[in-house]
Structures are given as structure tokens and as C-alpha cells.
Amino acid sequence: MTQHDQQVMATVPVPERRPIRQLLAASVGNAVEWYDWYAYTFLATYIASQVFPKGSGNSLVPLLATFAVFAVGFFMRPVGGLLMGAVADRRGRRAALTVTILLMGGSSLLVGLTPTYAAAGVFAPVFLVFARLLQGLSVGGEFAASTTFLVESAGPGRRGLFSSFQYVSTSAGQLAASGVAALLVATLSDGQMDGWGWRLPFLAGAALSLVGFWIRQGAHETHRAPADDGDRPGLFDALRHHPRQSLLICGITAGGTLAYYTWTSYLPTYAELNTDIGKSQALLAGTVSLAFFALLQPVGGLLSDRVGRRPLLLFFGIGFAVLSVPLLKSLTGSFTSLLLVQCAGMVLLTGFTSISAAVNAEVFPARVRAAGIGFPYSLTVAVFGGTAPYVGTLFKEIGSPGLFPVYVAVLCVVSSAVYLRLPETARGPLER
């Protein structure tokens, strides 16, 4: 058999009777992954008080250190995207998905067992950094493998719909993390939360990872790796042979990832820092808006299968470019204000999130699809998404919180320019 024939056969069609099982295998595991990842964000203020030394009279110093560790985890994501993407291309999507969820379970356990600064001194933040590096490696690999798995599992004219479940499951994980955090804050005293309550979500996440691992064992493989090692793609084949596509993914992702992490993760903390809203109300608003966001994703995916990917991307990019500043400046200390601002942003954000997996997968051929998506996407997320909480908190620290909404708007303008020149990929066949 020639190399060309092997490439043509590389993607194994998924039987029509198994789409629900495929969605479940990808979605449940992905939800567990992101629950573990986002629990850190929602409990950042409690982790800051226990793991980092307090600055000299400045309460923002531990929080800045906590968000710096959040960003450090993001900078392992490109490595995870490249390594686990290569595993998915060389050994199959299911192999990569099972590895990533086991990595996430182990790293979540480590976060839950992190010692306090009072007990271990500087070893405490070092321990936490190591755990977050492992989480970053896992999440970077998860996106690369699950994106390709979902889109390759879709039938004709359904890639947008299947793509939307990437963020349905991601939102479910965030929703669970936010809901658990809100429940703990509402039921435990501040002393209990500071002492041991913040650890519970991470220990639960480690146990849930085993459930996700078990479900993924029954998934149907969508990519048959070449039998001969000499025919398997090299680690950097996607970058070497498809540089334009790699840069295109960076441009598509930059504004989307900044807006996404601002609205779905950082906004409750941003509201706490810049208004007088309480922690429990901020977390509750975040939880309600995430549920709304999850419901929107299949609608966006289905719409893109009918009208195309580019109109939805432009709806997102231009909408955020115009409305980021007025929306964030309209925040007050009320629950209703925060909820309305978050939900308005979620509607716009759906134009990006519901179809990003499909757009990315449609850019690369199957042979290097996972690694080709994983590295440039995760690198862009690390640079712009992972630093969003730190940049927003830093602007507050230097006395210019109003610069952060401008930063979000400018980056969305840049991505909108990319969307205008993006070729439409919704109606063509997925390259095999």
C-alpha cells in the first residue's frame, strides 16, 4: 500500500449508530478536565491566602502571585498540544485522550494536597507551580485530541453541531467548578474555606477523572495510525509543511481566547476588584451565565452548518470590538448588573466558541491535524487567554482598571481582520 493510500485511509468513518456514544466519550472526559482546570480560577482568592506569603501591606500581592501561577499553567499548554497532538496523530485519538485525563486527575490531586506557606514555606508555591504545569500539559493535549475526535466523528453537514460540544462540555466543567465553589462559599465559614474547604473540589476532581477515563475506553477510534513508523508524522511536520495554516489559527484564536477567559473565568474577580459586589454573589452570577452559555453552543453550531463559519466569527469579533468597553464599564455592585453583562458577552462569544473546533479541524489534513491544531492554538491561548486575569488585576494594581476593556476590544479588532479574509470551510468535505 502506498503512503498516499495510507493517508486516505487514515480517518476511519464512525458508524452512524454511534454518534451519541462518541459525543459522550469526548464530552464527559472534557468536562472533567475543565472542571479540574477552572476550580483553580474560582478559588484563587482562597489559594492566595494560604499558599503565598502576604505582601507588605498589599492584599493584591498574593492574588497576583496566584494568577501568575494560573498563567504559568497556560504556558505548558503548547507543549501539551504538540506532544499529545503528536500522540493522537501517530497512535490514534483515543490513546491521547486517555493519557490527558489521567494526567489531569493526578495534577488535580496534587493541587488538593498542596501544603500551606505557613507549614512548608517556599516549598508550598513551588509544589503548586508543579501541579499547574502538569495541568497545563494535560489541557493542551486535551484540546488537540478532543477537537479532532469530535469533528471527525461528525456526519456530513454536522461538523458545526459536533464542534459546539467542545464548549458545551467545557462549560459544563466550568459550571460544575463554579457551582461547587459557590456552594462551599455559601455553606462554609471563611475560616473553614481558608483552612480546608478550598481543597475539596480538587480532590473530587481527581476521583472524577477516573470516571472519564473509564468512559473513554469505550470510544470508537476515528483515526487509524500508519502501521509503519516511517510513515508516521514527525513532531514538527505540521509547522514545517503548513506554516500558513498555523499562523491562521493564531489569528483566529487571539481575540476569542482573551474574550473567553475574561467573560467565563475572570469577570467575577474583575467585578470584585472594581465594584463592591460580594464573593458569593459574583460566583452565583458566573454560575448562572455559564449555564446560559452552554445552552447557546449547539444553536451556534447548527447555525454555522447552515450559513457558514465566517458570519458567526464576524458577529463575535465586531461585537466585542464595539461593546467590550461599554459592557465592562457598565458594571455596578449589583448581582443583576454583573449577570446581564456576562450574559450579553456570552451571546457574542458563542459566535467564536461554538465553531472554533470545526474551523481549526477544517484547516489541517488528518495526518497532522491534532498536532497542527494543538500547538498554535495553545500557544495563542497561553499568550492572550492565560494572562487575562493577571493583566486585568495588574491594571487595577497600577490604578488604571479602565485599560483592560480597551485591551480586549483592540485584540478583537485584530482577529476580526483575520475573519474577513478567512475562506469559508463549512460546506466542503473534511480532508482525510
Side-chain angles (χ1 to χ4, degrees), residues 355-370:
I355 59 172
S356 64
V359 173
N360 290 340
E362 289 162 352
V363 166
F364 283 97
R367 183 174 181 271
V368 294
R369 183 170 289 140

Side-chain angles (χ1 to χ4, degrees), residues 42 167 171 174-175 259-268 285-297 300 315-316 320 327 338-354:
F42 293 121
Y167 278 92
S171 299
Q174 287 181 267
L175 186 61
Y260 175 76
Y261 282 102
T262 298
W263 248 258
T264 65
S265 301
Y266 178 58
L267 202 56
T287 302
V288 174
S289 63
L290 279 173
F292 174 66
F293 181 63
L295 294 174
L296 289 175
Q297 300 312 296
F315 168 75
F316 152 73
F320 260 97
L327 281 174
L338 177 56
L339 181 61
L340 289 176
V341 168
Q342 283 202 279
C343 287
M346 298 302 195
V347 173
L348 296 173
L349 192 55
T350 297
F352 169 78
T353 54
S354 64

Side-chain angles (χ1 to χ4, degrees), residues 163-334:
S163 167
S164 70
F165 279 86
Q166 179 75 26
Y167 278 92
V168 169
S169 56
T170 298
S171 299
Q174 287 181 267
L175 186 61
S178 177
V180 168
L183 179 63
L184 289 173
V185 170
T187 56
L188 298 180
S189 67
D190 287 343
Q192 290 172 322
M193 280 298 300
D194 286 334
W196 51 268
W198 66 268
R199 299 179 185 275
L200 297 180
F202 300 104
L203 300 177
L208 287 172
S209 295
L210 297 177
V211 177
F213 172 78
W214 175 72
I215 291 174
R216 284 183 167 177
Q217 290 297 101
H220 177 80
E221 181 58 71
T222 63
H223 179 75
R224 182 183 294 131
D228 187 349
D229 281 350
D231 292 329
R232 289 174 178 165
L235 191 61
F236 297 101
D237 273 11
L239 289 173
R240 187 162 53 243
H241 300 302
H242 304 278
R244 180 182 175 278
Q245 289 89 335
S246 298
L247 289 173
L248 188 62
I249 285 184
C250 293
I252 291 169
T253 306
T257 188
L258 176 60
Y260 175 76
Y261 282 102
T262 298
W263 248 258
T264 65
S265 301
Y266 178 58
L267 202 56
T269 301
Y270 179 86
E272 287 180 49
L273 293 175
N274 293 282
T275 71
D276 58 357
I277 193 169
K279 288 180 183 178
S280 60
Q281 283 190 312
L283 284 170
L284 180 59
T287 302
V288 174
S289 63
L290 279 173
F292 174 66
F293 181 63
L295 294 174
L296 289 175
Q297 300 312 296
V299 177
L302 281 170
L303 186 60
S304 80
D305 285 329
R306 290 180 175 271
V307 305
R309 317 290 190 226
R310 188 166 56 183
L312 268 73
L313 290 172
L314 288 171
F315 168 75
F316 152 73
I318 295 173
F320 260 97
V322 173
L323 296 176
S324 291
V325 174
L327 281 174
L328 291 180
K329 284 192 173 181
S330 69
L331 282 173
T332 67
S334 74

Side-chain angles (χ1 to χ4, degrees), residues 151 154-159 309 358 361-366 369 424-432:
V151 178
R158 287 291 182 265
R159 294 199 301 267
R309 317 290 190 226
E362 289 162 352
V363 166
F364 283 97
R369 183 170 289 140
E424 184 56 68
T425 58
R427 295 174 183 85
L430 186 67
E431 187 174 347
R432 299 302 188 180

